[in-house]
Amino acid sequence: MSKRKPLILVTNDDGITAPGIRALLDVMSKIGDVLVVAPDKPQSAMGHAITINSTLYLNKISAEDAAVTEYSCSGTPVDCVKLAVNEILKKKPDLCVSGVNHGSNSSINVIYSGTMSAAVEAGIEGVPAIGFSLLDYDWNADFETIKPFIEKITLEALENGMPKDVVLNVNFPKLKKDAIKGIKICRQAKAIWAEKFDKRVTPQGKDYYWLAGEFINQDKGQDTDEWALANGYISVVPVQFDLTAHHSIQELNTWKWNE
Amino acid sequence: MSKRKPLILVTNDDGITAPGIRALLDVMSKIGDVLVVAPDKPQSAMGHAITINSTLYLNKISAEDAAVTEYSCSGTPVDCVKLAVNEILKKKPDLCVSGVNHGSNSSINVIYSGTMSAAVEAGIEGVPAIGFSLLDYDWNADFETIKPFIEKITLEALENGMPKDVVLNVNFPKLKKDAIKGIKICRQAKAIWAEKFDKRVTPQGKDYYWLAGEFINQDKGQDTDEWALANGYISVVPVQFDLTAHHSIQELNTWKWNE
């Protein structure tokens, strides 16, 4: 890491007013020069959605003399990263951090998460990136406890440099500081959401549905993020965006494709 | 494959009225019993978004005596799969096919694609799944040419069974039948969208943006989907939803996490 202060892009999926991004901003302001570009409304579970059939708005919401420049964006978390890198900065920041998400993005949640998709988008664009999430959906969750860990993880990432084409998915257990056992590198647990739709009827008599799933961890491995979080550790999963199942190419080549 | 006709779920991201899903439906109706659950409006580039902060509607749009039951859904492609499996069928279909997408889902597009996210969601839920895309954005694209290939690929998948935790991303080049050289198993090319935002001004004087990127393939490998498509082949990429970058865990364990 050079002596120059790193330029850090901060985003999230809970929206620019969420306490989670404020906590992240507190930490990042100590480490580097910060730009915030975050959704103007909650964008949870937006996955890697981008806005291609509609327009995008950016609103500078910080004062001219504010220490940190902040933009709210009408789009998705991924839109925020694209606009920040390509339109506002017109260069790559040294790091992109996303979160702190109000709620877990461990295991299969990584694939639905707007927080992690923002980090993944930064990774695709060649920007080192980390997504942070706290296992507490409460708007008034305790982010103070995890701030020193966020700082430690960020400094380690800046110091070591990120593995190529990898972003980090960091999840914090909802625990008091003394109960946190440390940081553990993990793999994504094999878990699913068993969906139960809550079927209701509108005042006009029309059926509608709410998604109401139950998280089921089918993975008993002790090297998973679910295990780490259940056992008092902060989980760090390296996430890639080459989705190729390289291990199955050989098997697929035995199929009779061209006969 | 048993003698029983397979139960096939058909969805897409261009919306239930798109010619691409009609072509897919033609082929699947020859192979099995079919249920269609598809978005009631275009949902391209929705990635793996799900609807958690709003309600979902299902509308049965087929006649009672129709050969194929069809529902339009107010949600995303992933919502369609979740509703189909968990609410309409209340059991797993034998196969889920998504598409035929109007436009490419090769390379990094897999991560933005609603078509592929529907297939990936099926895979997560334990349903063998294939996403089909044609490299032609035209609403009146020629789907007739590719129908025999869709049938062949689907029958091979039913015959062989899908590799565990893998779904297939199939892309067709925009070529006449005689020019198609065959089917090739590939890896996802390393490519990016270099974004250039088109900045405009509303009649009221407010700036807004259109996403207007350029696709750049940085990958010269001849084992990629981009190479296959550029050279007259139909590309088949096995896609996984364990996003863990397993190869980088060792490197990350050398960082000073707990000092």
Side-chain angles (χ1 to χ4, degrees):
Chain A
M1 180 168 58
S2 72
K3 293 300 172 195
R4 179 180 65 82
K5 281 178 95 175
L7 175 59
I8 304 176
L9 171 63
V10 177
T11 190
N12 77 341
D13 77 352
D14 291 315
I16 198 160
T17 61
I21 196 172
R22 295 295 121 193
L24 194 52
L25 189 47
D26 290 345
V27 178
M28 295 305 142
S29 298
K30 289 170 59 182
I31 297 173
D33 294 320
V34 175
L35 169 70
V36 178
V37 184
D40 58 13
K41 53 192 170 296
Q43 293 274 345
S44 293
M46 282 304 283
H48 215 92
I50 52 175
T51 303
I52 55 169
N53 291 320
S54 184
T55 54
L56 288 166
Y57 291 91
L58 277 177
N59 282 303
K60 191 171 179 180
I61 61 168
S62 51
E64 279 305 324
D65 58 351
V68 171
T69 305
E70 300 193 35
Y71 289 86
S72 74
C73 171
S74 62
T76 66
V78 173
D79 291 329
C80 290
V81 172
K82 285 183 180 289
L83 277 164
V85 173
N86 300 290
E87 184 64 28
I88 301 173
L89 293 173
K90 295 189 190 291
K91 66 174 179 178
K92 289 180 189 172
D94 298 299
L95 182 71
C96 171
V97 292
S98 181
V100 178
N101 192 62
H102 293 242
S104 172
N105 280 318
S106 61
S107 178
I108 197 67
N109 295 304
V110 65
I111 219 163
Y112 303 99
S113 162
T115 300
M116 279 310 299
S117 291
V120 166
E121 176 63 29
I124 292 170
E125 301 197 24
V127 176
I130 313 172
F132 295 100
S133 306
L134 173 60
L135 272 63
D136 187 346
Y137 286 94
D138 197 322
W139 196 250
N140 299 309
D142 170 24
F143 292 102
E144 287 306 316
T145 296
I146 65 173
K147 280 183 179 176
F149 295 104
I150 292 174
E151 185 174 352
K152 170 75 177 163
I153 292 165
T154 303
L155 291 174
E156 277 299 305
L158 288 167
E159 178 71 26
N160 292 283
M162 204 67 79
K164 190 168 152 50
D165 295 337
V166 164
V167 303
L168 300 185
N169 181 16
V170 178
N171 281 267
F172 297 96
K174 183 185 169 182
L175 290 172
K176 302 277 182 208
K177 190 179 176 188
D178 291 348
I180 295 178
K181 289 189 189 149
I183 298 167
K184 217 170 153 47
I185 312 299
C186 308
R187 65 175 173 84
Q188 170 187 328
K190 185 169 166 57
I192 57 161
W193 283 93
E195 307 298 357
K196 291 193 184 74
F197 284 91
D198 187 345
K199 187 175 180 177
R200 301 184 182 184
V201 181
T202 69
Q204 289 75 31
K206 189 169 165 55
D207 291 339
Y208 69 99
Y209 301 87
W210 286 101
L211 186 58
E214 183 191 357
F215 185 74
I216 297 176
N217 182 13
Q218 308 154 309
D219 193 331
K220 301 299 167 211
Q222 300 200 352
D223 55 347
T224 71
D225 50 2
E226 289 302 319
W227 187 93
L229 291 160
N231 286 275
Y233 293 94
I234 296 161
S235 67
V236 177
V237 175
V239 170
Q240 62 189 349
F241 37 88
D242 174 5
L243 305 190
T244 311
H246 292 277
H247 59 278
S248 69
I249 286 180
Q250 198 178 355
E251 175 181 343
L252 287 171
N253 271 320
T254 66
W255 293 18
K256 296 182 179 61
W257 294 103
N258 293 305
E259 285 173 18
Chain B
M1 181 168 55
S2 74
K3 294 300 171 195
R4 178 180 66 82
K5 281 178 96 175
L7 175 59
I8 304 176
L9 170 63
V10 177
T11 190
N12 77 343
D13 76 351
D14 291 315
I16 198 160
T17 61
I21 196 171
R22 296 293 122 193
L24 194 52
L25 189 47
D26 290 345
V27 178
M28 296 306 143
S29 296
K30 289 169 60 182
I31 297 174
D33 295 321
V34 174
L35 169 70
V36 178
V37 184
D40 59 12
K41 54 191 169 298
Q43 293 275 344
S44 294
M46 281 305 283
H48 214 92
I50 52 175
T51 303
I52 55 169
N53 292 319
S54 184
T55 54
L56 289 166
Y57 290 90
L58 277 177
N59 282 302
K60 191 172 180 179
I61 62 168
S62 51
E64 278 305 324
D65 59 351
V68 171
T69 304
E70 301 194 36
Y71 289 87
S72 73
C73 170
S74 62
T76 67
V78 173
D79 291 329
C80 290
V81 172
K82 286 182 180 289
L83 277 163
V85 173
N86 299 291
E87 183 64 27
I88 301 173
L89 294 173
K90 294 190 190 291
K91 66 174 178 177
K92 289 179 190 173
D94 298 298
L95 183 72
C96 171
V97 292
S98 180
V100 179
N101 192 62
H102 293 242
S104 171
N105 281 318
S106 61
S107 178
I108 196 68
N109 296 304
V110 65
I111 220 164
Y112 304 98
S113 162
T115 300
M116 280 310 301
S117 290
V120 167
E121 177 62 30
I124 291 171
E125 300 197 23
V127 176
I130 313 173
F132 294 100
S133 306
L134 173 61
L135 272 62
D136 187 346
Y137 285 95
D138 197 325
W139 196 249
N140 298 309
D142 170 25
F143 292 103
E144 287 306 317
T145 297
I146 65 173
K147 280 182 180 177
F149 295 105
I150 293 174
E151 185 174 353
K152 171 75 178 161
I153 292 166
T154 303
L155 290 174
E156 277 299 306
L158 287 167
E159 179 71 25
N160 292 284
M162 203 67 79
K164 189 168 153 48
D165 294 338
V166 164
V167 303
L168 301 184
N169 181 16
V170 178
N171 281 266
F172 297 97
K174 183 186 170 182
L175 290 173
K176 302 276 182 211
K177 191 179 176 188
D178 291 348
I180 295 178
K181 290 189 189 148
I183 297 167
K184 217 169 154 43
I185 312 299
C186 309
R187 64 175 173 84
Q188 170 188 328
K190 185 170 164 56
I192 58 160
W193 283 94
E195 306 298 356
K196 291 191 183 74
F197 285 91
D198 186 346
K199 187 175 179 177
R200 301 185 183 185
V201 181
T202 69
Q204 289 74 32
K206 189 168 164 56
D207 290 339
Y208 69 99
Y209 301 88
W210 286 102
L211 186 57
E214 183 191 358
F215 185 74
I216 297 176
N217 182 13
Q218 308 154 310
D219 193 330
K220 301 300 167 208
Q222 300 199 352
D223 55 347
T224 71
D225 50 2
E226 289 302 319
W227 186 92
L229 291 161
N231 286 276
Y233 292 94
I234 296 161
S235 68
V236 177
V237 175
V239 169
Q240 62 189 350
F241 36 88
D242 174 5
L243 306 190
T244 311
H246 291 276
H247 60 277
S248 69
I249 286 180
Q250 197 178 358
E251 176 181 345
L252 287 170
N253 271 319
T254 66
W255 293 17
K256 297 181 179 63
W257 294 104
N258 292 304
E259 287 174 17

